[in-house]
Amino acid sequence: MRTVLREPRRLLSSALAIVLGVAFTCATLILGSSLSRSYADQVAGRVKDASVVVNAAAITPETVAQINALPGVTGTRPLVESGRSAGSPAYYVQILTLPQGGSTTVLQGRLPTGDSEIVINEAMAQAGHLKVGDRAPWPDSTDTIVGIVKPGSDASAYPSQPAVLAPDKTALRLADNTYAFVMVSGPDGAALAATIKALPALSGDKATVAEAAAWTAK
């Protein structure tokens, strides 16, 4: 103690190190909390007013039809969330359903109106050096980029990741005819989740079926 008191600069350095350490820890916690809240908001945006969320590696349109036919189901909203590589050097591209009437904002061009029309986000435009009027950046593509957009929370949980967004039919084709999510509406989420989980295509560990509130809170 006497040594430290004799050398006030050493005491000042120690105090400064403690202050900086505390400040860094607080900043890290605040940033982590902000990112978690942002991701939760994005997830909630895709769930909307659904009662149950079904998630699997590959959900076929036939399985969606089976869910839609179950007692208590008032509606289904299947979503493509797939990916593929593009460019050289290669980068990862999300393939996503473009929600109808959603919160996605057009920055350039327009939204798709045809089966072979897609839009991309700014991250995709930058990564692939792409612009409106170009073809999608994979071999033999017949899909044309008609717009550059800012995806809304109902379209993507990772808006900063390069992404291609398209209406259901086109997105489904680009994702090898499979969905990743089905948002299911109905008055009794718990009963619906149990009924959906009993479907052979979704039973066991083939899929995650959860009430929407529990899914959003993950």
Side-chain angles (χ1 to χ4, degrees):
M1 177 65 74
R2 291 180 180 177
T3 302
V4 173
L5 290 176
R6 290 171 185 167
E7 300 183 36
R9 285 179 297 179
R10 183 180 300 178
L11 179 61
L12 182 60
S13 297
S14 299
L16 182 60
I18 292 171
V19 171
L20 291 176
V22 171
F24 178 79
T25 300
C26 291
T28 301
L29 291 173
I30 292 170
L31 178 60
S33 175
S34 177
L35 290 174
S36 296
R37 187 164 54 251
S38 177
Y39 178 75
D41 290 344
Q42 294 289 340
V43 171
R46 289 189 299 167
V47 171
K48 291 186 178 179
D49 59 353
S51 304
V52 174
V53 177
V54 181
N55 176 215
I59 304 172
T60 65
E62 291 74 22
T63 300
V64 176
Q66 291 173 7
I67 296 172
N68 203 43
L70 291 172
V73 173
T74 58
T76 54
R77 184 162 45 87
L79 300 176
V80 167
E81 185 176 288
S82 183
R84 60 193 304 174
S85 62
S88 180
Y91 57 94
Y92 179 80
V93 180
Q94 298 179 93
I95 309 297
L96 303 169
T97 299
L98 178 66
Q100 292 184 341
S103 56
T104 293
T105 304
V106 177
L107 303 176
Q108 296 179 36
R110 59 174 175 82
L111 294 176
T113 57
D115 290 342
S116 294
E117 294 182 342
I118 60 174
V119 292
I120 61 175
N121 64 353
E122 288 184 293
M124 177 75 172
Q126 294 170 6
H129 305 287
L130 299 166
K131 62 184 185 300
V132 174
D134 288 346
R135 292 288 178 89
W138 31 77
D140 303 320
S141 173
T142 59
D143 298 307
T144 301
I145 299 167
V146 297
I148 298 174
V149 301
K150 179 180 180 181
S153 61
D154 53 351
S156 174
Y158 303 97
S160 61
Q161 174 75 37
V164 165
L165 301 94
D168 181 80
K169 184 177 179 180
T170 302
L172 193 59
R173 168 172 55 79
L174 293 175
D176 297 323
N177 207 43
T178 58
Y179 297 103
F181 294 94
V182 184
M183 305 300 170
V184 186
S185 300
D188 189 340
L192 275 181
T195 304
I196 293 168
K197 190 63 178 175
L199 289 173
L202 303 173
S203 61
D205 60 358
K206 298 174 185 175
T208 299
V209 181
E211 290 187 71
W215 179 269
T216 304
K218 284 184 177 181

